């Protein structure tokens, strides 16, 4: 168990619309804290996010001086989401991007010489940029840091040019940038452009030009090539870390029914995105647990001689398959988007749905996001005792004691 004054970090992983689950977890954390009678304020001096998790992370960090209000603001946005707030979902917008993209995939050899005909992505996420400019005021970051409400914020992206996984971080304190195999850290003011790059799902949303070490590179989703999702929070000084995932860490026992049919494009794409967004977290958590176990075996003198340190980690991830939840809400998508996804192989509803994994990342519609928020809150409340022990809120006064 870490010292009560240990720096606590928050890691929010990627997953497109699946990130609604994170908001439910945060909402429940606030409830548990109030029930425990613990002090208000930002419980996470270090915040790190990837993809849609980077957007949630930045929204929290920019209002770290009013953390509970920041969570309430995220809940309000995610509970009322519509796809058109994230990408062009009207017929003309879909034709300009998705239809042209699919055409290029099929007969691109005919029109490749006309550069103006080359779409950059399946969907146009310009509405997301407008939403972020309203939701995230990155100009407040240094203000909340200077007032002691936040130590550091990190968001990640992946460079299509160099192939590097890049962590952009901002902090008032002196933190030496770190370099690992295929991974670098760059100290930089976090902007909306960084959030757009971090959440640019490959093929689906366009890459974004960012400055990396004095030169411009086009970057996409930070979940790509992310071998160590927890690493940025550790480098930024976190000694205990809450990680909120966007997919199940472990499948339940028993055989899951498969299909003898050849997979369509949507099924292959959904499988690929699951690999990008979900698999690295489980591996990183297992690696960290092995390091903790090894350090526990060392005598104090040997432990003091190593640069490694034990990290307390609590992982909260969905208890249900988000693909299955998405399958129940496919008809919530706007008709033009459904038509485009149907061309890729997304079809059916509920248990008969095909390609729901792909749709689960794009279902920015209230019926789906509200169910994920409710699931996140429910999963967190079910682990109330673990949460209180992790934050050491169990020593706080109970509501009955506060009332007396």
């Amino acid at each position: 168990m870490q010292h009560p004054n240990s720096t606590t970090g928050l890691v929010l992983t990627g997953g497109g619309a699946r990130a609604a689950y994170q908001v439910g977890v945060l909402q429940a954390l606030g409830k548990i804290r109030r029930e425990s009678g613990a002090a208000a304020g930002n419980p996470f001096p270090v915040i790190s996010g990837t993809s849609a998790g980077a957007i949630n992370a930045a929204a929290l960090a920019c209002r770290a001086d009013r953390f509970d209000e920041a969570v309430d603001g995220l809940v309000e946005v995610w509970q009322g989401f519509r796809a058109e707030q994230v990408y062009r979902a009207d017929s003309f917008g879909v034709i300009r991007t998705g239809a042209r993209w699919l055409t290029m995939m099929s007969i691109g050899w005919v029109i490749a010489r006309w550069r103006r005909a080359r779409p950059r992505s399946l969907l146009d996420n310009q509405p997301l940029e407008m939403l972020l400019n309203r939701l995230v005021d990155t100009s407040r970051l240094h203000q909340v840091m200077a007032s002691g409400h936040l130590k550091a914020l990190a968001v990640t992206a992946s460079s299509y040019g160099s192939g590097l996984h890049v962590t952009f971080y901002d902090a008032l304190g002196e933190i030496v940038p770190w370099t690992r195999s295929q991974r670098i850290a760059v100290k930089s003011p976090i902007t909306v452009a960084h959030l757009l790059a971090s959440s640019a799902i490959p093929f689906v949303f366009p890459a974004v030009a960012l400055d990396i070490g004095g030169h411009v590179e086009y970057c996409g989703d930070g979940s790509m090539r992310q071998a160590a999702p927890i690493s940025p929070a550790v480098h930024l000084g976190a000694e205990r870390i809450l990680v909120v995932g966007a997919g199940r860490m472990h499948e339940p026992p028993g055989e899951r029914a498969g299909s003898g049919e050849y997979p369509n494009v949507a099924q292959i794409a959904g499988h690929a995105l699951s690999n990008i967004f979900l698999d690295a977290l489980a591996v990183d958590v297992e690696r960290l647990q092995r390091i903790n176990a090894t350090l526990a075996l060392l005598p104090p003198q040997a432990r003091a001689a190593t640069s490694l340190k034990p990290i307390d980690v609590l992982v909260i991830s969905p208890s249900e398959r988000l693909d299955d939840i998405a399958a129940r809400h496919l008809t919530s998508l706007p008709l033009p988007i459904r038509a485009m996804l149907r061309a890729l192989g997304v079809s059916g509803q509920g248990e008969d749905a095909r390609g729901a994994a792909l749709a689960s990342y794009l279902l920015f519609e209230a019926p789906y996001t509200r169910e994920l928020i409710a699931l996140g809150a429910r999963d967190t409340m079910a682990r109330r005792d673990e949460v209180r022990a992790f934050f050491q809120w169990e020593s706080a006064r109970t509501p009955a004691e506060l009332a007396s």
Side-chain angles (χ1 to χ4, degrees):
M1 180 66 70
Q2 296 285 347
H3 188 274
N5 293 324
S6 299
T7 298
T8 304
L10 173 66
V11 174
L12 300 176
T13 61
R18 291 168 171 249
Y21 178 85
Q22 300 168 355
V23 179
V25 173
L26 293 167
Q27 187 181 43
L29 287 177
K31 182 177 181 180
I32 295 172
R33 182 173 63 178
R34 289 189 293 272
E35 289 178 351
S36 304
N42 175 24
F44 305 108
V46 172
I47 301 177
S48 175
T50 301
S51 192
I55 294 173
N56 286 339
L60 294 174
C62 293
R63 300 180 67 186
D65 53 340
R66 299 190 294 273
F67 189 82
D68 290 340
E69 291 182 19
V71 172
D72 290 343
L74 283 173
V75 171
E76 182 179 357
V77 169
W78 282 93
Q79 281 188 335
F81 243 137
R82 302 185 312 278
E84 62 195 38
Q85 293 175 279
V86 179
Y87 49 79
R88 289 284 301 274
D90 58 288
S91 297
F92 182 70
V94 171
I95 290 172
R96 285 186 58 192
T97 55
R100 290 171 61 186
W101 189 84
L102 292 173
T103 301
M104 283 292 297
M105 290 288 288
S106 58
I107 58 170
W109 61 274
V110 176
I111 56 176
R113 59 180 176 175
W114 288 291
R115 294 184 60 86
R116 291 179 60 186
R118 299 178 188 175
R120 296 188 171 189
S121 60
L122 190 64
L123 295 170
D124 176 1
N125 65 344
Q126 187 175 5
L128 176 60
E129 182 176 3
M130 298 168 61
L131 174 64
L132 291 179
N133 282 320
R134 296 194 305 270
L135 179 66
V136 183
D137 184 4
T138 56
S139 66
R140 298 193 75 245
L141 274 175
H142 282 193
Q143 175 185 332
V144 297
M145 289 179 185
S147 57
H149 297 285
L150 183 72
K151 289 185 178 180
L153 168 67
V155 302
T156 62
S158 182
S159 169
Y160 286 114
S162 65
L164 291 173
H165 181 267
V166 186
T167 298
F168 298 93
Y169 70 94
D170 200 359
L172 291 185
E174 196 61 39
I175 298 173
V176 179
W178 59 94
T179 301
R180 298 291 185 270
S181 176
Q182 296 298 309
R183 293 184 282 141
I184 63 172
V186 176
K187 186 171 184 180
S188 170
I190 305 299
T191 67
V192 166
H194 291 89
L195 304 182
L196 287 170
S198 183
S199 58
I201 299 174
F203 297 111
V204 177
F205 296 137
V208 178
L210 295 177
D211 184 282
I212 302 178
H215 59 279
V216 173
E217 294 191 34
Y218 277 90
C219 297
D221 202 293
S223 295
M224 294 186 290
R225 312 202 73 171
Q226 187 177 44
I230 303 174
S231 175
V234 175
H235 284 289
L236 294 174
E239 297 162 297
R240 60 183 178 192
I241 301 172
L242 173 67
V243 183
V244 186
R248 295 178 70 147
M249 291 286 289
H250 305 286
E251 287 298 312
E255 186 175 347
R256 182 172 174 83
S259 172
E261 297 181 29
Y262 192 85
N264 58 41
V265 173
Q267 290 172 305
I268 295 172
H271 189 71
L273 289 179
S274 294
N275 175 266
I276 291 172
F277 286 110
L278 307 181
D279 292 352
L281 177 59
V283 173
D284 202 24
V285 169
E286 290 174 2
R287 181 190 302 118
L288 192 147
Q289 290 171 339
R290 286 197 301 270
I291 292 173
N292 285 347
T294 301
L295 290 174
L297 297 174
L298 297 178
Q301 185 175 0
R303 193 183 308 173
T306 178
S307 60
L308 299 175
K309 59 182 180 180
I311 304 291
D312 283 346
V313 175
L314 175 62
V315 181
I316 299 179
S317 60
S319 59
E320 300 178 23
R321 287 178 59 91
L322 302 194
D323 299 5
D324 295 341
I325 297 176
R328 299 197 293 266
H329 295 285
L330 293 179
T331 56
S332 298
L333 284 165
L335 184 58
I337 299 298
R338 296 209 309 269
M340 183 193 69
L341 291 178
R342 194 178 303 116
L344 295 173
V346 178
S347 62
Q349 178 93 359
E351 295 182 359
D352 298 325
R354 299 188 70 194
L358 172 60
S360 72
Y361 297 95
L362 304 178
L363 250 167
F364 292 93
E365 292 289 341
Y368 175 63
T369 57
R370 286 177 182 172
E371 187 165 349
L372 296 197
I373 291 172
L375 177 63
R378 192 163 59 248
D379 287 348
T380 306
M381 296 304 294
R383 300 175 64 183
R384 181 190 287 105
D385 291 343
E386 289 180 75
V387 170
R388 293 183 68 189
F390 176 79
F391 286 100
Q392 300 184 22
W393 289 340
E394 72 274 20
S395 59
R397 291 182 297 165
T398 65
E401 292 171 327
L402 288 171
S404 63

